[in-house]
Amino acid sequence: MIKFKNWMYMNVGIVLIACATYFFLVPNRFVTGGMTGLSTILGSVTNISISTWLMCLNICMLIIGFIFLGRSTGIWTVYCSLGYSSLMLLYEAIFPMEGKTLTDEPFLELCVGITLYAIGTATIFSAGASS
């Protein structure tokens, strides 16, 4: 059974990476690696939102992970991946950015976004999960 402290770390990490992605990286069209980067690219060339792409790609990757890696991929990775995607969808509904940036300083937003993303990802990893 997972400890409450690890569960809290996972939730804090999810919030940090979702904030970094939605508020700082996506509006400036900064592309990160992994499913988030692929979702950003696909969202910019289609009429489908980035968070929808992220949810679909994460689900596909989780299914592939369970097929090839078995249950050892961990239920908490599923929790974090779907929580991250869901939080992105929630941010889209509550805080519509519509291509606007928070400041006129893209380099500042890059630094803040990457820092938040790195701290969030490290927090999730330290709890024994992945996003």
Side-chain angles (χ1 to χ4, degrees), residues 6-126:
N6 287 354
W7 182 77
M8 288 299 297
Y9 282 158
M10 284 184 253
N11 287 311
V12 168
I14 291 168
V15 169
L16 288 174
I17 64 174
C19 283
T21 303
Y22 185 74
F23 293 111
F24 296 101
L25 302 175
V26 169
N28 287 291
R29 298 188 185 269
F30 296 135
V31 178
T32 59
M35 293 299 108
T36 303
L38 184 57
S39 299
T40 302
I41 293 169
L42 292 171
S44 68
V45 297
T46 65
N47 288 331
I48 301 171
S49 73
I50 293 168
S51 58
T52 303
W53 275 114
L54 184 62
M55 179 72 80
C56 293
L57 291 172
N58 275 339
I59 290 171
C60 290
M61 291 304 294
L62 291 169
I63 291 169
I64 291 168
F66 275 111
I67 290 170
F68 290 105
L69 302 174
R71 300 194 100 193
S72 64
T73 57
I75 195 71
W76 294 112
T77 297
V78 173
Y79 174 78
C80 290
S81 295
L82 297 180
Y84 173 37
S85 303
S86 299
L87 199 52
M88 290 282 290
L89 286 168
L90 182 67
Y91 286 162
E92 275 185 3
I94 296 174
F95 309 110
M97 297 286 285
E98 299 170 0
K100 295 180 278 184
T101 59
L102 294 177
T103 69
D104 292 331
E105 299 291 332
F107 184 70
L108 175 64
E109 292 194 31
L110 174 66
C111 291
V112 171
I114 292 299
T115 301
L116 287 176
Y117 198 91
I119 293 170
T121 302
T123 304
I124 290 172
F125 288 161
S126 71

